[in-house]
Amino acid sequence: MTNPEPGSSAVTASLRAQGWIELPIETGPQHYDAQGHLNNAAVAQLCNDMRIRFVQVVLGPWWGQVLRDERLTVAVREAHFSYDTEGLPGEEFIGVMRYSHREGKAAIAEQRILESQTGRLVARGWVLLLVIHDGVVIDWPEEFFTRIERVQGAPIERRPRADRRFDPS
């Protein structure tokens, strides 16, 4: 599989060279708050929709079949968002996403929402994803990353599991 056909945005050309995959983002009135800004919760929803679209575009029906056949569940363990600038009604946005690395049994997906004409960064997301079988976290199927690496154009780095325990001191 090759990289999905890029949009008309010249903004994402350098991002594509870094393995980012461009994905459409559509907003409507429900995505804006009473102040007329792209709502924080809407950014989280748009990023979730982007992750689903990424799998559909990059992996096609293969991954859904694996999930059903093997009785696997993909779960978000952590989600972090950074709101960099205001998104305003009337602006058009594009999303980019990539799997940046693996950490123990987790996969780390990075996402960005950009204003499509200027490339202004509106928001960033960082999500830690796990695969679960019968209530137990398991390793991701290697074929998942093989297919994504092929599309992103580079290997996905493996790192040891990070210690994420909260230390209040």
Side-chain angles (χ1 to χ4, degrees):
M1 174 178 267
T2 60
N3 201 336
E5 190 62 33
S8 60
S9 174
V11 170
T12 58
S14 67
L15 293 171
R16 282 192 301 272
Q18 299 170 44
W20 294 90
I21 306 301
E22 184 176 340
L23 300 158
I25 290 184
E26 294 181 25
T27 58
Q30 72 276 16
H31 294 105
Y32 297 90
D33 59 27
Q35 299 174 64
H37 302 123
L38 192 60
N39 182 280
N40 292 354
V43 167
Q45 182 62 55
L46 292 168
C47 284
N48 187 63
D49 294 345
M50 197 186 321
R51 282 192 310 278
I52 292 167
R53 182 73 178 132
F54 180 93
V55 169
Q56 292 170 338
V57 168
V58 172
L59 300 176
W62 169 82
W63 182 235
Q65 191 65 46
V66 169
L67 294 174
R68 283 186 297 280
D69 290 350
E70 302 294 325
R71 297 183 347 266
L72 304 176
T73 301
V74 175
V76 173
R77 168 75 164 76
E78 296 180 34
H80 304 265
F81 299 99
S82 171
Y83 305 96
D84 295 272
T85 63
E86 296 173 333
L88 302 172
E91 291 182 317
E92 293 184 19
F93 305 101
I94 54 173
V96 293
M97 182 177 153
R98 69 180 175 190
Y99 278 82
S100 62
H101 64 279
R102 298 166 71 175
E103 197 172 285
K105 293 181 180 178
I108 311 302
E110 296 178 330
Q111 301 168 280
R112 294 182 183 173
I113 296 175
L114 309 167
E115 191 279 322
S116 65
Q117 296 304 309
T118 64
R120 184 184 84 247
L121 182 60
V122 175
R124 290 177 275 179
W126 177 96
V127 183
L128 187 147
L129 299 156
L130 300 171
V131 173
I132 300 171
H133 181 262
D134 291 336
V136 176
V137 175
I138 64 168
D139 287 316
W140 287 76
E142 284 303 316
E143 183 65 18
F144 179 88
F145 292 105
T146 298
R147 290 173 182 237
I148 289 175
E149 287 171 345
R150 199 173 304 135
V151 173
Q152 290 185 182
I156 297 171
E157 178 187 3
R158 288 192 85 143
R159 300 178 187 169
R161 181 174 182 263
D163 184 5
R164 297 190 186 285
R165 289 177 288 179
F166 178 69
D167 181 4
S169 58

